[in-house]
Amino acid sequence: RLLFGNWEYDDDPFVLMEYEKIVDLFTNTHIVGGNKYMTIDVARLGKDDTTIRVWNGLTSIAKKVIPKCRIDDLTRLVRNLQREHGVPNSNTIADEDGVGGGLVDNLRCRGFVNNSTPLQIFGETKNYQNLRSQCFFKLAEIVNNNLMFLQNEPITDRERVVKELEQIKQIDADKDTKLKIIAKEQLKIVLGRSTDEADNLMMRMWFEIKKMEKRITSKPKVRTTS
């Protein structure tokens, strides 16, 4: 099915996101705004473009696809976008694997390492293989509950988003206690390209999980009496 591009996965229990909910991403106009964020999927070896999204809460309000360029030029472009949209460095995250590490160093922003240790949330019983898996499971929760809006998404980009998110599935569910997502290399074979759109949306989840980590692990205030 994967090899010959059969995209009908309604009977696959390991697909994370429902097709109808993925399509809803482009019409979820009820989503309210919030803090500004930026997610950057940096061009790597064999990939020509860098994909940048600017977020207002969980609404993607702007997207830039930048042809492969020098890291210094990309750094200047990102800083201009930060100023234009009011996005602080602390709310900016870039794929740190490969050449993306140079952008993270220049900007001094957040760096996303796919195979790094998942964020620890007090009281969470789920065990993830890595940060990438944790963030994709969180993305599935957000998408399936209609909590994200991709505003003004071009038609051709919509098709890419849908096809990529349809392929995000859990693997080895019966072999490992850790929750694991299909590998990037396998997705590239299935789709014939990198999952730039899915990866960009997935990185946005780092901030949502980090907020949960801060809220749950913060110490309660101690009241004193005189």
Side-chain angles (χ1 to χ4, degrees):
R1 248 184 353 180
L2 295 175
L3 180 62
F4 292 103
N6 179 358
W7 309 113
E8 300 299 327
Y9 289 101
D10 292 344
D11 60 339
D12 189 336
F14 300 113
V15 170
L16 293 192
M17 286 164 264
E18 302 170 31
Y19 173 80
E20 292 81 4
K21 299 298 185 178
I22 297 172
V23 175
D24 284 342
L25 284 170
F26 315 112
T27 56
N28 285 334
T29 56
H30 61 278
I31 305 300
V32 298
N35 294 328
K36 296 288 187 69
Y37 299 92
M38 185 181 295
T39 51
I40 310 168
D41 186 45
V42 183
R44 293 176 295 278
L45 183 64
K47 193 183 86 169
D48 293 331
D49 299 328
T50 292
T51 304
I52 303 171
R53 283 188 184 271
V54 178
W55 300 83
N56 183 1
L58 284 169
T59 296
S60 174
I61 58 174
K63 183 169 75 170
K64 295 280 187 182
V65 179
I66 311 301
K68 200 168 185 178
C69 62
R70 291 168 52 87
I71 289 297
D72 288 346
D73 294 334
L74 182 59
T75 301
R76 284 190 290 271
L77 188 148
V78 169
R79 283 176 174 156
N80 288 337
L81 285 173
Q82 286 178 320
R83 283 192 292 270
E84 178 183 350
H85 293 281
V87 183
N89 255 351
S90 58
N91 285 2
T92 300
I93 193 166
D95 184 356
E96 195 171 359
D97 293 328
V99 297
L103 179 66
V104 172
D105 289 342
N106 286 354
L107 288 173
R108 300 180 184 275
C109 67
R110 309 280 191 181
F112 189 97
V113 178
N114 285 274
N115 203 36
S116 60
T117 304
L119 296 174
Q120 298 300 307
I121 301 174
F122 180 77
E124 169 126 281
T125 58
K126 294 179 180 177
N127 192 10
Y128 302 94
Q129 180 195 28
N130 51 31
L131 181 61
R132 174 178 176 268
S133 294
Q134 184 182 30
C135 287
F136 264 124
F137 272 97
K138 183 63 178 178
L139 178 62
E141 176 188 326
I142 293 292
V143 171
N144 290 333
N145 284 284
N146 296 108
L147 298 177
M148 180 179 283
F149 177 34
L150 306 184
Q151 181 176 289
N152 300 324
E153 196 79 6
I155 295 298
T156 53
D157 290 359
R158 293 185 186 193
E159 293 174 358
R160 288 181 60 115
V161 169
V162 171
K163 284 189 175 182
E164 290 181 20
L165 292 184
E166 279 187 302
Q167 301 306 313
I168 304 302
K169 59 191 296 186
Q170 184 178 0
I171 61 171
D172 296 339
D174 57 343
K175 298 179 182 178
D176 198 328
T177 56
K178 294 183 178 181
L179 297 175
K180 184 187 301 183
I181 297 299
I182 184 172
K184 291 169 68 74
E185 295 76 13
Q186 184 63 39
L187 286 170
K188 191 170 184 178
I189 293 173
V190 172
L191 293 164
R193 63 173 185 270
S194 299
T195 51
D196 302 343
E197 298 290 352
D199 291 345
N200 196 294
L201 302 181
M202 176 269 294
M203 284 193 291
R204 173 63 183 84
M205 295 300 98
W206 186 91
F207 294 104
E208 297 304 298
I209 298 171
K210 193 67 175 176
K211 285 191 297 187
M212 294 168 59
E213 179 187 54
K214 288 181 179 179
R215 182 172 65 248
I216 294 174
T217 60
S218 59
K219 296 181 179 180
K221 293 181 179 180
V222 178
R223 296 183 62 183
T224 60
T225 57
S226 55

